[in-house]
Amino acid sequence: MVEAFAVASGKGGTGKTTSTLALGMALAERYDVTVIDADTGMANLLFHTGLDDADVTLHDLLVAERDVPVSAAVYDRFGMSVVPCGTSLTAFESADPGLLRDVVAELAADTDVLLLDSPAALGSKSAVLPIVLADRVVVVLQPTVPSLSDGLKVQEYARSYGTETAGVLFNRVRPDEDVDAIADQAARYFGGTALASVPESDAVRAARRAGEPLLAHAPNDPAADAFNDAASTLDVRAGDASGVADRFRSAVVPDRP
């Protein structure tokens, strides 16, 4: 079985990478999970997983004449397979985002759940491709109307390519925010379900500084509990690995968002 989720937001600062890794670690209790940093322009998953000195990253796999296998960019971290992306501007400029199809297709053959940490905006081919490739999208929001609006743009774009919404995750929720009112609005406009409401937490910043995912650094923090609840709520659908791989390889790469 395999299902690919794009974790997306429509704006920066929502805690998308934290959410991707937290969902990944929680799901890894039941599934083989592969997390891919598909934000090839503003990658930071490597800093959250202690891989800032990784020798091979996704950038190395997205060049036409690459001489390394996909497996060279896969690292065993925190119970997951992690594919980080580099931060070099030169590597980003030389990478062909269209090759992500073949990379993800190969990874799909040996995992149950693929999580694509997606770029925050929809301004380029490399930004929208993870959403196009995924089976479903998890939309990460903050409980504000502007964040809701940005998330709806992601959902609209995803649906135009046949990618449905798995659910909405409210993240970085402060005590003074009326998340229930925003959640009611989200229920009217978004597909899927409300996965969880994750409180703002100092432990998230501490985990980032330590180079660890939140669930490894502070497993008993209230934010970690909320992410565990989100993973329990997320329904993972069984898919045929070879069929999913074929779909990835034949996916249409959008010329522009």
Side-chain angles (χ1 to χ4, degrees):
M1 63 168 289
V2 62
E3 183 170 16
F5 296 94
V7 182
S9 64
K11 68 182 291 291
T14 59
K16 186 170 43 58
T17 299
T18 294
S19 300
T20 303
L21 289 170
L23 289 174
M25 278 195 66
L27 289 169
E29 296 292 327
R30 294 174 286 149
Y31 304 102
D32 287 330
V33 174
T34 299
V35 176
I36 306 167
D37 191 345
D39 190 350
T40 57
M42 295 290 288
N44 63 11
L45 186 145
L46 72 173
F47 301 118
H48 289 251
T49 52
L51 288 170
D52 38 314
D53 59 350
D55 291 329
V56 181
T57 74
L58 181 64
H59 275 158
D60 298 297
L61 306 180
L62 300 182
V63 292
E65 306 267 334
R66 66 178 165 93
D67 57 0
V68 294
V70 169
S71 59
V74 181
Y75 300 85
D76 184 10
R77 287 291 187 277
F78 308 102
M80 306 173 288
S81 295
V82 176
V83 182
C85 190
T87 57
S88 164
L89 178 59
T90 300
F92 167 68
E93 291 175 340
S94 64
D96 178 0
L99 295 177
L100 184 64
R101 295 175 300 177
D102 295 321
V103 171
V104 176
E106 186 168 335
L107 292 168
D110 193 32
T111 195
D112 296 328
V113 176
L114 280 165
L115 293 175
L116 302 169
D117 185 12
S118 306
L122 300 177
S124 68
K125 181 189 296 186
S126 61
V128 301
L129 188 57
I131 295 170
V132 173
L133 289 177
D135 296 295
R136 290 185 291 164
V137 61
V138 173
V139 184
V140 181
L141 302 173
Q142 289 180 274
T144 65
V145 172
S147 181
L148 197 71
S149 176
D150 290 331
L152 283 170
K153 294 172 186 174
V154 170
Q155 177 176 265
E156 180 182 3
Y157 192 89
R159 286 181 173 177
S160 72
Y161 279 89
T163 304
E164 292 301 317
T165 305
V168 172
L169 178 65
F170 289 101
N171 191 35
R172 303 187 63 183
V173 178
R174 298 192 304 269
D176 61 338
E177 291 178 312
D178 187 1
V179 68
D180 290 336
I182 296 295
D184 287 343
Q185 294 185 53
R188 290 196 295 272
Y189 299 119
F190 283 92
T193 186
L195 298 174
S197 177
V198 182
E200 181 78 84
S201 172
D202 290 337
V204 172
R205 289 180 284 276
R208 167 66 167 74
R209 290 192 296 270
E212 297 177 330
L214 171 66
L215 268 64
H217 186 78
N220 298 317
D221 188 79
D225 291 339
F227 279 121
N228 278 312
D229 290 342
S232 297
T233 304
L234 185 66
D235 64 307
V236 177
R237 301 170 182 173
D240 175 68
S242 61
V244 171
D246 289 342
R247 180 174 59 77
F248 276 120
R249 289 191 177 97
S250 62
V252 176
V253 182
D255 289 328
R256 60 181 183 277

